[in-house]
Amino acid sequence: VMLYSPTGVGKTWLSLAIGMICAGGGRLDLVEWENDEPQPVCYLDGEMLEEDIQERMKLLIPSLNLNEDDLLFITQENR
């Protein structure tokens, strides 16, 4: 999926939330969607810094009802 819109409307937040729910189960109450069958996800971002993406992911974990231990983060630095 490719999202396009002006800067600052929430593309990264939405795509991270969808990807994290697909990868780790969880729930997105905004659209009443829950995933009971986690699947592998590859999230690519060509603009944001790695640290910024990881910070956003950590902020999303509690609000999406996810367990951080169920997620594996592979980055350029730790692969």
Side-chain angles (χ1 to χ4, degrees), residues 11-17 20 43-61 73 75-77:
K11 297 179 299 291
T12 300
W13 287 107
L14 176 62
S15 58
L16 281 174
M20 290 173 69
Y43 180 86
L44 301 173
D45 188 307
E47 296 180 358
M48 289 188 67
L49 294 173
E50 178 182 318
E51 296 82 17
D52 293 339
I53 293 173
Q54 288 180 342
E55 182 63 29
R56 287 187 182 195
M57 292 175 86
K58 287 179 182 178
L59 291 170
L60 282 170
I61 287 171
F73 302 101
T75 66
Q76 182 71 16
E77 295 174 359

Side-chain angles (χ1 to χ4, degrees), residues 57-76:
M57 292 175 86
K58 287 179 182 178
L59 291 170
L60 282 170
I61 287 171
S63 65
L64 298 175
N65 197 32
L66 294 169
N67 181 350
E68 187 170 1
D69 295 335
D70 293 337
L71 302 171
L72 173 64
F73 302 101
I74 300 173
T75 66
Q76 182 71 16

